[in-house]
Amino acid sequence: MLSPSTKSRFSMAKTVISTVGSVAAAAAVVHTFSRQYLPTEFRLEVENYIHLSLRNVLNNFSNQLTMVFYESEGFRDNEIYTAAQHYLATQISSDIRRLKVSKNPNEQKFNVGMETNEEYTDLYNGVTFTWSLLSKQKPTGYENGRSTRSDIRSLELTFHRKHKDLVLDSYLPFIINCSKTIIQNEKTVKLFTTDRRWSYSTILWKSVKLDHPATFETVAMDPSVKEMVVKDLDRFLDRREHYRKVGKAWKRGYLLYGPPGTGKSSLIAAIANYLKFDIYDLELTNICSNSELRRLLVATANRSILVVEDIDCSVELHDRVQVETEKETEKDKTAKKEHKVTLSGFLNFIDGLWSSCGDERIIIFTTNRKEKLDPALVRPGRMDVHIHMSYCTPSAFRMLASNYLGVTEHDLFEDIDELISRVDVTPAEVAEQLLKDNDPDIALGGLIEFFDVKRKENEEAKAKLKEEEEKLAAKERENKKLQKKLKKLSAKTSEKKQQEEPATEIEKKQEEKTATEIEKKQQEDGVDD
């Protein structure tokens, strides 16, 4: 015998099945009628209404909750929809029967994703969640006498009602964070340069794919400096809340200085590849004004690197005291000055209020002559880390030999280490010599010969520089002698003038006295007449 409660459940089940059957039968009749006799736009409205009514009936007997995430909201993409697409693409199991696969011409890997009307099951914190991708067609207008339609895609997430707070507070934020990690790992680093469009008199960013192979494993520099840079970058990425706490913009400044060919550009590429940050290469000589510079910097994205190479040669960003004391009187010069980037304007953009218009940004300056830069440009807070890119060291040479020749030990290494300590040579020059032959014996032998040539060149350059310095010193001595002579001559002239002034005053008074007497005598003669 069945208990009363069991009988009640059977009765309820029969009622539900009967109701669902009746609704389904009615829906089938209406669907057939609408397809045969109604226009397309009305048919879609009727079908959507039936679908909604049937869902409402079923929801009355279900403990499941469904959240809908449309692909876009108005003109903006839905972040949850995009994040879920990236996340679910990594959670596809072997039970899935249909997948969407695509590939872009410029990419090497296949893109695998969800297919329409397929369900995906995900397990999070012991709770089962069901995802499904839906696509509906919506009429958008008429073209050539026919109605046009567009696809409205959405994701539906179904789960037990009691887990709603878990979804909103934990599951969805977890998916968004996973999506950001996936996008960052798969990101292709881009190099942005300025592109001036004369027809519109505007300057914009234009990007290309950065294919530079430099990494921290291959860049030739001192291992301790390399380790310091990596740790500093990691610490910068992990300190977002710290920057907010202390009230500073989330940015970091690096100054790379040293002779040409010491690997400054390679280090920048290695940083970009390590962080997966885009590079914005700013050529200040192409910028006409501070306002134009501001527009460019505001247009840069977060998680990016702003690079100004050879900043000592880019524009006149030198000592502000000297610039301010120079007064230009001509109007054309004044107009020309107004259309240039100034040091104060540039500093305001990298360290003032405008610097807070973005997060997680790195600014890198490079220069061959650090001493030429204005102190305000390189102070802490603007350029936080100063990295000296020196001439080639023994450790850097061994890294180059490993990269170019595939050798970590060789009989000639000790001789080369000794030569490196005595001859100034850049990593770029060493790399050029190692590229000349794949045979380590030949390449390293040629490098030793190059050191002899380089040593002679350095000696000749030093001798020439010394000669020029001596000539300059001789000129300075001659100038000092001339200045002393001029001072003596000026002093003598001044003394002579002072001696002549009293005599001149006496003669002048005597002339005035004589003139007065003559005039008086003439007046007396006139009276006598």
Side-chain angles (χ1 to χ4, degrees):
M1 294 292 293
L2 297 175
S3 64
S5 61
T6 305
K7 289 181 179 180
S8 177
R9 292 193 185 97
F10 271 114
S11 177
M12 178 64 71
K14 289 180 181 180
T15 303
V16 172
I17 294 174
S18 176
T19 304
V20 171
S22 301
V23 173
V29 172
V30 174
H31 178 70
T32 303
F33 176 79
S34 65
R35 291 184 65 87
Q36 293 180 356
Y37 300 104
L38 294 179
T40 302
E41 56 273 17
F42 292 110
R43 175 169 58 82
L44 292 175
E45 293 293 336
V46 171
E47 290 179 355
N48 290 335
Y49 177 77
I50 294 172
H51 177 74
L52 180 62
S53 300
L54 183 59
R55 176 181 293 177
N56 290 335
V57 172
L58 295 177
N59 287 340
N60 292 330
F61 304 96
S62 174
N63 57 7
Q64 298 293 301
L65 178 63
T66 299
M67 290 184 177
V68 181
F69 310 102
Y70 289 98
E71 183 178 13
S72 60
E73 296 290 338
F75 295 101
R76 304 184 65 178
D77 292 338
N78 188 341
E79 182 184 8
I80 303 177
Y81 178 93
T82 305
Q85 286 277 36
H86 287 105
Y87 170 74
L88 293 173
T90 64
Q91 304 297 318
I92 295 175
S93 64
S94 58
D95 299 333
I96 303 299
R97 298 182 180 276
R98 298 175 70 241
L99 294 173
K100 182 181 70 175
V101 182
S102 62
K103 181 181 179 300
N104 294 328
N106 298 329
E107 296 181 353
Q108 297 181 352
K109 61 179 296 185
F110 293 98
N111 300 315
V112 180
M114 299 179 63
E115 176 57 317
T116 307
N117 300 324
E118 284 292 321
E119 289 189 350
Y120 298 75
T121 302
D122 186 33
L123 189 66
Y124 177 76
N125 286 356
V127 180
T128 301
F129 297 95
T130 302
W131 290 89
S132 58
L133 177 62
L134 304 178
S135 178
K136 297 179 182 179
Q137 291 185 338
K138 179 181 179 181
T140 57
Y142 288 89
E143 184 176 348
N144 298 328
R146 297 182 179 180
S147 62
T148 57
R149 293 171 291 177
S150 61
D151 291 336
I152 300 179
R153 289 184 290 270
S154 63
L155 282 171
E156 291 190 352
L157 173 62
T158 304
F159 53 91
H160 198 283
R161 293 176 181 272
K162 65 181 181 181
H163 299 304
K164 184 183 74 172
D165 292 339
L166 174 67
V167 171
L168 295 176
D169 298 336
S170 180
Y171 185 49
L172 292 181
F174 167 76
I175 289 176
I176 292 176
N177 289 333
C178 288
S179 172
K180 291 179 179 179
T181 302
I182 294 169
I183 293 174
Q184 188 65 19
N185 292 335
E186 296 179 351
K187 179 181 177 180
T188 300
V189 179
K190 295 181 180 179
L191 173 63
F192 288 82
T193 56
T194 53
D195 178 31
R196 181 171 294 281
R197 300 184 179 183
W198 293 106
S199 57
Y200 300 99
S201 298
T202 58
I203 186 167
L204 304 172
W205 291 112
K206 182 178 180 180
S207 67
V208 295
K209 182 180 178 181
L210 181 67
D211 287 325
H212 203 296
T215 64
F216 280 110
E217 288 74 22
T218 60
V219 67
M221 60 185 300
D222 187 86
S224 60
V225 177
K226 189 188 305 185
E227 183 181 1
M228 180 273 294
V229 174
V230 173
K231 288 183 178 180
D232 190 78
L233 292 171
D234 292 337
R235 184 169 57 252
F236 167 73
L237 294 180
D238 295 336
R239 303 184 77 185
R240 177 175 185 173
E241 294 303 323
H242 174 75
Y243 278 86
R244 290 183 178 275
K245 180 181 178 181
V246 300
K248 290 189 63 177
W250 193 14
K251 65 179 183 63
R252 192 74 169 161
Y254 294 87
L255 175 66
L256 311 184
Y257 65 97
T262 51
K264 293 186 285 291
S265 298
S266 295
L267 178 57
I268 294 172
I271 293 174
N273 289 329
Y274 179 73
L275 300 176
K276 293 295 182 68
F277 280 17
D278 292 332
I279 296 177
Y280 289 84
D281 185 14
L282 183 62
E283 181 61 50
L284 291 176
T285 55
N286 292 338
I287 313 302
C288 295
S289 63
N290 288 337
S291 60
E292 194 170 71
L293 175 64
R294 180 171 62 248
R295 287 194 298 269
L296 280 175
L297 296 184
V298 170
T300 59
N302 293 339
R303 300 179 67 86
S304 61
I305 302 173
L306 178 68
V307 177
V308 183
E309 293 191 282
D310 297 325
I311 191 169
D312 55 304
C313 304
S314 296
V315 289
E316 295 179 358
L317 300 180
H318 304 302
D319 192 355
R320 284 177 293 181
V321 176
Q322 178 182 356
V323 174
E324 291 174 357
T325 53
E326 293 178 354
K327 296 182 179 180
E328 297 177 343
T329 56
E330 299 180 8
K331 293 183 179 180
D332 57 340
K333 288 185 178 181
T334 304
K336 185 178 180 182
K337 185 176 180 180
E338 292 175 353
H339 292 282
K340 283 186 177 181
V341 177
T342 62
L343 178 59
S344 59
F346 184 67
L347 294 179
N348 182 48
F349 301 141
I350 67 171
D351 194 37
L353 292 176
W354 286 101
S355 66
S356 60
C357 296
D359 278 338
E360 213 167 354
R361 292 180 176 176
I362 290 177
I363 302 174
I364 299 179
F365 294 161
T366 72
T367 180
N368 300 332
R369 299 174 296 177
K370 180 183 177 182
E371 67 281 358
K372 295 292 184 179
L373 299 180
D374 191 298
L377 191 65
V378 296
R379 69 165 176 79
R382 289 177 178 144
M383 293 294 102
D384 306 287
V385 182
H386 295 196
I387 303 174
H388 180 223
M389 307 299 291
S390 64
Y391 288 107
C392 191
T393 62
S395 59
F397 158 70
R398 291 175 185 271
M399 176 64 70
L400 290 171
S402 176
N403 294 339
Y404 286 85
L405 302 177
V407 295
T408 57
E409 292 294 338
H410 196 277
D411 295 338
L412 297 177
F413 275 10
E414 292 184 3
D415 296 337
I416 294 175
D417 288 345
E418 184 180 353
L419 289 171
I420 287 177
S421 63
R422 293 191 286 108
V423 181
D424 291 337
V425 59
T426 65
E429 292 173 323
V430 174
E432 183 181 359
Q433 297 302 315
L434 297 181
L435 275 174
K436 291 185 176 182
D437 203 292
N438 294 329
D439 188 332
D441 295 334
I442 298 176
L444 296 175
L447 180 60
I448 291 177
E449 295 177 359
F450 170 76
F451 272 107
D452 293 335
V453 175
K454 188 67 177 178
R455 178 178 54 78
K456 294 178 181 178
E457 291 179 355
N458 289 346
E459 290 176 355
E460 292 176 358
K462 289 180 180 179
K464 185 176 180 180
L465 179 61
K466 185 178 180 180
E467 182 180 353
E468 291 178 353
E469 289 177 349
E470 290 177 352
K471 289 181 178 179
L472 183 60
K475 287 183 179 180
E476 289 180 355
R477 288 194 296 269
E478 289 294 330
N479 290 335
K480 288 181 179 180
K481 289 181 180 179
L482 289 175
Q483 289 176 0
K484 288 181 178 179
K485 290 181 178 180
L486 289 174
K487 286 182 179 180
K488 289 181 179 180
L489 181 61
S490 176
K492 289 181 179 180
T493 304
S494 177
E495 183 179 356
K496 183 177 180 182
K497 186 176 180 181
Q498 290 176 357
Q499 292 176 352
E500 292 176 351
E501 280 182 355
T504 303
E505 290 293 330
I506 295 172
E507 292 176 357
K508 185 176 180 182
K509 289 180 180 179
Q510 185 67 32
E511 290 177 356
E512 291 178 353
K513 183 178 180 181
T514 304
T516 303
E517 291 177 352
I518 292 173
E519 183 178 358
K520 185 177 180 181
K521 187 177 181 180
Q522 288 179 349
Q523 290 178 356
E524 292 175 351
D525 292 342
V527 172
D528 294 339
D529 292 340

